[in-house]
Amino acid sequence: MKIRIKFAKTGCMKFIGHLDIMRFFQKAIRRSGLPIAFSEGFSPHMIMSFAAPLGVGVTSSGEYFDMELTEEISSAEITDRLNREMVEGMQVISARKIPEGKAGKAMSLVAAADYVVSFREGMELKGWEKCLDDFFHQNEIVILRKTKRSEKETDIRPWILELRSEKNGIFMKVSQGSVHNLKPELVLEAFAAYLGQELSPTALLIHREEVYAENAEGQFVSLESLGEIIE
């Protein structure tokens, strides 16, 4: 039975890297006593798949991983067992069964994500609220994107799906996943250049709210909504 876990990562846990988060959950699953399935072969490992690993320093209330269990357990019990093993800054939000027809790996399903970005006190871009809408409605937003091997100009405008100001900062929905993976930092760097200002490397507080797949109709649906609650 394939289970999709949604969890939050906040507080000091934002400084823990992806590999350590994987190890943390592997240990938590062992301690919880959940009947996790293992791969076959000489070096069996837990069958798990994380969706869109989060960068160090970013908090989130919409992280996901899939795992396989060898027997059916209710969503409430899975959530309760795992939360008993969580530390401060980590919380399991939901556990849902993934039907056979929707059982693609979480990582391969990711198409977009929601973020809220705020500025540290005293590090705001001057006049940003008045200019955000004009920035978003440009025909193109070209940046110099660095890769391991080279630098090239890239138009990131098609990958910014929504952009608006909110009470607690800047909300954005951006393309993410294996095809186009736009980090919110790049959007803010482009915005700073548009304003003719420099953005301090430590100016941003980034929080990921949700991760989405794209359905057959081209609509974005949360990874959580693809699952079913187990009674």
Side-chain angles (χ1 to χ4, degrees):
M1 182 175 66
K2 190 169 186 177
I3 303 296
R4 179 157 296 152
I5 302 295
K6 182 178 184 179
F7 67 96
K9 176 184 173 186
T10 59
C12 63
M13 290 302 290
K14 71 180 182 180
F15 298 113
I16 305 300
H18 175 61
L19 290 178
D20 286 323
I21 292 296
M22 288 178 61
R23 296 186 189 103
F24 170 81
F25 272 105
Q26 288 169 351
K27 291 177 181 178
I29 290 167
R30 288 193 185 96
R31 291 194 297 264
S32 72
L34 289 171
I36 185 78
F38 284 81
S39 63
E40 299 179 353
F42 293 105
S43 181
H45 57 272
M46 292 182 181
I47 301 177
M48 300 174 68
S49 172
F50 281 74
L54 200 64
V56 174
V58 181
T59 59
S60 177
S61 52
E63 296 303 285
Y64 293 91
F65 73 87
D66 293 346
M67 64 179 180
E68 291 188 21
L69 299 182
T70 57
E71 61 186 76
E72 187 165 299
I73 300 176
S74 72
S75 294
E77 185 175 349
I78 294 171
T79 303
D80 183 57
R81 282 205 206 179
L82 287 175
N83 274 328
R84 290 178 198 167
E85 309 302 331
M86 294 297 102
V87 297
E88 185 177 352
M90 297 292 286
Q91 180 190 7
V92 173
I93 297 170
S94 70
R96 297 197 175 191
K97 180 180 179 179
I98 306 301
E100 284 297 319
K102 301 178 181 178
K105 288 186 177 180
M107 186 61 174
S108 64
L109 292 173
V110 173
D114 288 346
Y115 290 89
V116 172
V117 182
S118 56
F119 297 99
R120 294 185 188 276
E121 189 174 350
M123 295 185 176
E124 300 90 350
L125 293 172
K126 294 179 181 178
W128 71 266
E129 291 177 282
K130 296 179 181 179
C131 301
L132 186 64
D133 195 55
D134 289 340
F135 168 74
F136 177 53
H137 285 96
Q138 295 179 99
N139 291 327
E140 61 178 17
I141 299 173
V142 178
I143 65 165
L144 187 63
R145 203 173 192 193
K146 298 179 181 179
T147 66
K148 291 182 179 180
R149 296 183 178 180
S150 63
E151 295 181 348
K152 65 176 183 178
E153 288 190 342
T154 304
D155 179 14
I156 62 171
R157 177 60 189 84
W159 305 341
I160 307 173
L161 308 173
E162 293 181 37
L163 188 68
R164 63 177 183 269
S165 62
E166 289 192 341
K167 184 178 180 180
N168 53 345
I170 298 172
F171 170 86
M172 67 177 75
K173 185 189 295 290
V174 294
S175 295
Q176 296 216 312
S178 57
V179 179
H180 303 301
N181 193 55
L182 181 59
K183 295 182 179 180
E185 299 96 317
L186 284 178
V187 178
L188 266 295
E189 287 173 11
F191 185 35
Y194 173 80
L195 296 174
Q197 301 177 38
E198 285 192 17
L199 186 69
S200 169
T202 59
L204 304 178
L205 295 170
I206 302 172
H207 181 81
R208 183 152 73 186
E209 292 190 327
E210 188 55 271
V211 176
Y212 298 93
E214 188 173 2
N215 64 18
E217 290 75 38
Q219 300 169 322
F220 292 115
V221 293
S222 70
L223 296 190
E224 181 183 31
S225 69
L226 296 175
E228 301 171 349
I229 296 174
I230 312 162
E231 300 295 342

